[in-house]
Amino acid sequence: MLAELGLAILWMAASLAGLQLIAGSFSLTKDGDGLGAIVRPVAIVQGVLVALAFASLIMLFVETDLSVKLVADNSHSAKPLIYKIAGTWGNHEGSMLLWVTVMGLAGGIVAAVERRLPERTMMATLAGQAFVSLGFYAFLLFASNPFQRLSPAPQEGNGLNPLLQDPGLAFHPPTLYLGYVGLSIAFSFAIGALVTREVGPAFARAMRPWVLGAWIFLTLGITAGSYWAYYMLGWGGWWFWDPVENASLMPWLAATALLHSVSVLAARNALRAWTVMLGVVAFSMSMIGTFLVRSGILTSVHAFAVDPRRGGFILALLAINIGAALVLFALRAGTVTEGERFEVTSREASLVFNNVMLSCILGIVLLGTLYPLVTEAMGVKVSVGPPYFTPMSAVFAVPMLVVLAIGPMLRWRHDRFARVRAVLAMPLGVTIVAAVGFALGGVRSPMALLALSLAPGLGVASLLPLRGRHLARAPLSLWGMVVAHVGIAVALFGMGADAAFTQQRLLAASVGQSTQLGPWRITLASIEPVAGPNWTALEADLSASYAGGAPVHLHPQSRTFWAPPQTTSVSALHTVWNGQLYTVLGEETHDASSAATPTGRWQLRLWWKPFVPMIWLGGILVALGGLLAMVSRVRQDLKRRSVRTRSRERKA
Amino acid sequence: MAGFSVVPVRAKHQRLILLGVALAALVAAGLLAAWALRNQASYFYVPSEIIAKPPEADRSVRLGGMVVRGSMKNAPDGVTVNFIVTDGKQQVPVRFAGIKPALFVEGSGVVAEGHWQDGLFTADNLLAKHDEKYTPREMQGMTTDQAHKAIAETK
């Protein structure tokens, strides 16, 4: 019953989205004023309904109702509860339902709380949101119905890919989706403002919390995804320039640019057309990302849709949405009047510079990600990897980081470089000292040296906007910027340290054998079989002592799942203040002459990675900075609103 | 808004200048990417290509093909494995020190990341099939026609 109910609710939500689009569009015409009144309530009810549809799918997974095809294909009654729930979005149909749910809820919230913009702009915005949602509703209902029944119901489900049976999975997709879909609101605001020609500071202020929110979630999603790849794949790497990773990086780059240009628009009424364009680009990147990841064009743990029809459907949606937005932009951009001006040496100019650099990196990543797909269509298999992405993005990232250190020190509109030269001597000095120090200390890789020397300077420079201020009284939004920029420096240092200082040891050890790795003395104490709810494993007990100190124990496993049958290595990590010890257990080695004779020696792969956790710590700091900025902005908005209400009351 | 400009002299042109600069930077990025991608075109090799046109020893490349049955030999150190990869035309020896992916077996497809030097491919990393759903992109197609041919020829 629940499946039919969920499907019915989903249809109702889709119809309401249709109504929202029609009423919203007609309310913009001369004699459609009356229709405007229903748009907001419809948007709210649509959000509630689609959330209910998603809740019923979660219930089906929790109950493991195997008569539903999606549950039978992706779940198993013996799975722990958390993975039953997470399994809801660990597949194509469920993840698309999650997508429209977040879109519906976000649209509902905008409809319920946003009162600053002219009502016509709001109508156009909500109609735009409904237009995008409708495409995804159609995709769900016609090409990927999550509630489809299976008859006869199987005895047991297929289970979930063991790579996905991990706490990270419970949070990673929803986090990224909140980011992707939050950008849909920015997109709709951009459309609404273009339609009614209301591109100005009020539009920027309405859009900003959504951009900030989406950006925070994207930052966290990428950070979590990177950490997941780091400890789950057992390769010790934290970023592989995998198309799937790029798919999440591209919206982040666009959102980062948008976030900064929206701030300029809100504070200084400049960069109007550019902000609107970025609003369109950012969500387009979200959709391209989803298309790449979900269409089955790329094969990865993320590619659920093997049905080529689905890929075609997403591609059509993509073309319609992006195409329509770009046509609208082309028609209206000329009528968006130019904003306030600024000089070459000004904070605006440095933000523009970094916006352009971010866009260039975005272009580099986008071309590198699409290139193999294009050549493959022409029959040539090419793979583009780190040797392309890393140096090419560094070409633009390095000037960006330099300007990132200077920009926040400059005044709005007009400044003289001579004024900040003295202040910037300190970060410059720190960078030079770091460069010389690390070069003498034996760091040879130019990329690592660049990162390790830029990072300390950038960290110091990021703190400089706080100088001469009473720390407790500095505005929260300033703290947000400082924390986020320090986060970039911290992450950069971690990346450099990983490339420069990582030590690894690979050995076949028998029980009792010890080895030295950097400051660590590591002993294989034992190998024991262990069992989990749906797997069995061999678990090593590694006793590791740091510089002769008290030993800690790490337990890497070689784990065999029985539904579906697969083996994965589960790495074990130990974090200390200055780095991370990373251990992986392989298989028992066999005799060189006859493969059947085990030798009692076990493959171990050990890494000592000084300062590597700074990469993710930096990511978290960046997100925290975003959060501080968001709290500050929302508080300002609320204050403004209450002042306005009070002044209105006084007048009345 | 243009009337309220602080710098009226350049009133009409600032937007155009910004647009020009942004476009120039993006075009530069595009050209740079195109140039770099052209060099990248030789990042992925199959055995016959790597023999015909060997890459420089310091360049990190990928080698894809099928693991020849009976070619996998474990070295006495317990962590190094030597095997032969074929594309049906040529065979090249590969050495890998590390923990083999679970589904890396003889007769299956593999993509190795590493360096080519003096007739030996030293792999830093092996990308094997993780499961039915996760196959390195370069191996698709090879697992069907080429693979069967490759296996048939090398039995």
Side-chain angles (χ1 to χ4, degrees):
Chain A
M1 254 331 275
L2 194 54
E4 283 70 28
L5 188 66
L7 187 59
I9 296 176
L10 192 60
W11 272 102
M12 280 197 279
S15 330
L16 283 182
L19 183 60
Q20 186 182 332
L21 172 61
I22 294 167
S25 311
F26 272 103
S27 73
L28 295 175
T29 61
K30 272 190 195 118
D31 37 38
D33 274 354
L35 275 171
I38 66 164
V39 174
R40 284 181 192 256
V42 164
I44 296 168
V45 177
Q46 186 221 324
V48 171
L49 283 181
V50 69
L52 282 177
F54 187 59
S56 27
L57 189 64
I58 294 181
M59 279 312 294
L60 289 170
F61 267 85
V62 170
E63 287 170 5
T64 319
D65 183 346
L66 295 168
S67 70
V68 175
K69 188 169 180 302
L70 190 66
V71 179
D73 284 350
N74 294 289
S75 199
H76 191 284
S77 56
K79 226 166 43 164
L81 180 64
I82 173 149
Y83 298 130
K84 282 184 184 167
I85 296 175
T88 314
W89 51 78
N91 58 75
H92 168 75
E93 288 85 349
S95 69
M96 289 322 292
L97 183 56
L98 173 64
W99 173 288
V100 285
T101 303
V102 181
M103 261 193 102
L105 283 175
I109 294 173
V110 169
V113 303
E114 186 52 58
R115 303 269 168 207
R116 279 166 297 182
L117 289 181
E119 200 56 18
R120 279 171 57 78
T121 306
M122 277 309 294
M123 291 301 112
T125 302
L126 289 173
Q129 183 77 4
F131 180 79
V132 180
S133 295
L134 264 182
F136 286 96
Y137 276 119
F139 183 44
L140 263 178
L141 291 168
F142 299 126
S144 28
N145 175 10
F147 296 106
Q148 200 185 332
R149 289 280 188 188
L150 184 65
S151 177
Q155 288 293 308
E156 190 46 273
N158 269 343
L160 179 69
N161 184 341
L163 270 178
L164 300 181
Q165 296 199 23
D166 175 84
L169 172 77
F171 305 104
H172 168 62
T175 313
L176 270 181
Y177 272 32
L178 284 172
Y180 280 177
V181 180
L183 289 177
S184 80
I185 300 285
F187 178 84
S188 303
F189 271 127
I191 297 298
L194 267 184
V195 167
T196 58
R197 301 187 174 87
E198 294 276 354
V199 184
F203 150 76
R205 282 194 205 107
M207 188 167 159
R208 182 160 52 187
W210 292 96
V211 177
L212 264 171
W215 182 79
I216 294 167
F217 281 115
L218 280 176
T219 309
L220 286 176
I222 293 172
T223 308
S226 157
Y227 193 72
W228 179 84
Y230 169 75
Y231 84 95
M232 206 55 193
L233 295 180
W235 295 343
W238 54 274
W239 191 263
F240 300 95
W241 295 105
D242 185 270
V244 169
E245 295 170 321
N246 294 348
S248 66
L249 180 65
M250 290 188 289
W252 184 85
L253 290 167
T256 310
L258 175 60
L259 172 66
H260 289 89
S261 88
V262 103
S263 299
V264 175
L265 183 53
R268 293 279 312 130
N269 195 12
L271 303 185
R272 298 167 151 202
W274 179 250
T275 304
V276 170
M277 186 65 200
L278 280 178
V280 171
V281 168
F283 184 57
S284 302
M285 287 303 145
S286 297
M287 285 190 293
I288 289 177
T290 310
F291 167 68
L292 287 176
V293 171
R294 296 286 187 240
S295 63
I297 275 193
L298 310 167
T299 22
S300 84
V301 72
H302 294 78
F304 302 131
V306 273
D307 183 354
R309 235 175 11 146
R310 287 178 175 167
F313 207 122
I314 307 186
L315 191 59
L317 270 184
L318 199 74
I320 292 170
N321 287 334
I322 301 177
L326 289 181
V327 167
L328 183 65
F329 183 80
L331 291 177
R332 284 291 164 89
T335 68
V336 175
T337 47
E338 190 176 350
E340 298 285 331
R341 276 139 212 294
F342 46 86
E343 299 266 296
V344 177
T345 320
S346 66
R347 195 183 297 183
E348 287 99 321
S350 64
L351 282 165
V352 166
F353 180 83
N354 275 4
N355 256 272
V356 172
M357 288 301 114
L358 282 167
S359 309
C360 289
I361 301 174
L362 174 60
I364 294 277
V365 177
L366 182 65
L367 286 173
T369 311
L370 295 183
Y371 183 72
L373 303 178
V374 174
T375 59
E376 195 171 329
M378 299 186 302
V380 186
K381 291 203 175 195
V382 175
S383 58
V384 178
Y388 162 78
F389 286 107
T390 312
M392 286 300 123
S393 39
V395 166
F396 297 96
V398 170
M400 182 181 81
L401 293 172
V402 171
V403 174
L404 171 59
I406 304 169
M409 312 294 295
L410 296 174
R411 289 188 182 136
W412 291 115
R413 191 181 307 178
H414 169 72
D415 204 345
R416 283 168 309 112
F417 188 69
R419 195 181 64 80
V420 292
R421 202 162 26 192
V423 188
L424 287 170
M426 184 161 53
L428 184 66
V430 170
T431 295
I432 292 169
V433 169
V436 171
F438 284 119
L440 291 180
V443 176
R444 285 288 161 267
S445 146
M447 284 296 199
L449 189 59
L450 200 58
L452 287 172
S453 38
L454 276 178
L458 182 58
V460 171
S462 303
L463 291 171
L464 287 179
L466 286 174
R467 109 210 103 98
R469 290 211 181 229
H470 188 289
L471 290 189
R473 274 186 228 134
L476 205 53
S477 54
L478 178 67
W479 272 107
M481 179 187 78
V482 167
V483 170
H485 288 175
V486 168
I488 298 278
V490 169
L492 188 66
F493 191 83
M495 295 169 194
D498 180 48
F501 305 130
T502 297
Q503 289 178 288
Q504 70 157 311
R505 164 102 355 115
L506 185 67
L507 74 163
S510 36
V511 172
Q513 193 178 331
S514 291
T515 184
Q516 189 72 29
L517 174 69
W520 292 90
R521 178 105 200 133
I522 300 155
T523 310
L524 175 61
S526 68
I527 298 266
E528 299 288 343
V530 287
N534 52 353
W535 47 264
T536 55
L538 284 168
E539 184 178 280
D541 179 13
L542 293 173
S543 142
S545 132
Y546 183 84
V552 288
H553 289 264
L554 290 91
H555 300 104
Q557 292 176 347
S558 174
R559 193 180 281 188
T560 307
F561 285 83
W562 39 265
Q566 270 185 48
T567 306
T568 56
S569 354
V570 179
S571 53
L573 307 174
H574 179 70
T575 311
V576 286
W577 72 270
N578 61 347
Q580 210 162 35
L581 182 65
Y582 187 125
T583 62
V584 182
L585 174 67
E587 56 190 23
E588 186 169 12
T589 60
H590 293 276
D591 209 305
S593 49
S594 94
T597 333
T599 55
R601 292 194 302 160
W602 298 82
Q603 293 182 334
L604 286 176
R605 183 157 212 169
L606 314 166
W607 279 277
W608 165 233
K609 291 177 164 287
F611 302 109
V612 77
M614 287 174 79
I615 295 173
W616 306 289
L617 178 68
I620 292 168
L621 281 178
V622 171
L624 178 67
L627 185 66
L628 290 177
M630 183 153 157
V631 168
S632 134
R633 295 310 178 194
V634 170
R635 221 164 51 178
Q636 268 174 18
D637 288 347
L638 291 179
K639 215 181 279 173
R640 255 191 220 131
R641 184 184 288 195
S642 73
V643 168
R644 230 179 302 144
T645 333
R646 246 180 286 147
S647 72
R648 220 175 292 146
E649 278 165 4
R650 225 172 287 149
K651 267 181 216 154
Chain B
M1 289 293 145
F4 301 109
S5 155
V6 194
V7 206
V9 189
R10 286 184 291 172
K12 283 256 162 170
H13 301 298
Q14 184 165 41
R15 186 154 40 171
L16 282 178
I17 293 168
L18 283 180
L19 188 69
V21 170
L23 275 181
L26 282 171
V27 167
L31 290 176
L32 192 63
W35 171 77
L37 283 171
R38 190 183 277 238
N39 292 347
Q40 279 283 309
S42 52
Y43 177 51
F44 178 73
Y45 289 81
V46 294
S48 47
E49 292 166 351
I50 211 164
I51 286 175
K53 245 198 283 172
E56 305 87 70
D58 59 345
R59 204 150 62 89
S60 171
V61 294
R62 284 182 173 179
L63 173 76
M66 310 299 299
V67 182
V68 175
R69 280 186 199 281
S71 72
M72 214 189 279
K73 297 271 186 297
N74 293 311
D77 69 356
V79 288
T80 305
V81 58
N82 292 291
F83 54 93
I84 291 170
V85 164
T86 179
D87 61 348
K89 295 176 205 136
Q90 292 282 359
Q91 301 195 341
V92 295
V94 179
R95 171 173 298 162
F96 170 69
I99 292 171
K100 287 178 295 199
L103 291 168
F104 174 72
V105 287
E106 293 184 338
S108 77
V110 69
V111 173
E113 288 181 331
H115 302 266
W116 175 253
Q117 195 169 14
D118 304 330
L120 174 70
F121 193 87
T122 308
D124 306 317
N125 206 354
L126 295 181
L127 315 173
K129 273 173 96 158
H130 273 224
D131 62 42
E132 291 310 314
K133 287 178 188 158
Y134 188 23
T135 313
R137 204 173 53 78
E138 298 89 341
M139 264 167 52
Q140 295 169 350
M142 191 175 288
T143 45
T144 53
D145 45 338
Q146 248 178 320
H148 291 300
K149 219 195 303 163
I151 292 166
E153 282 170 14
T154 53
K155 228 178 269 179

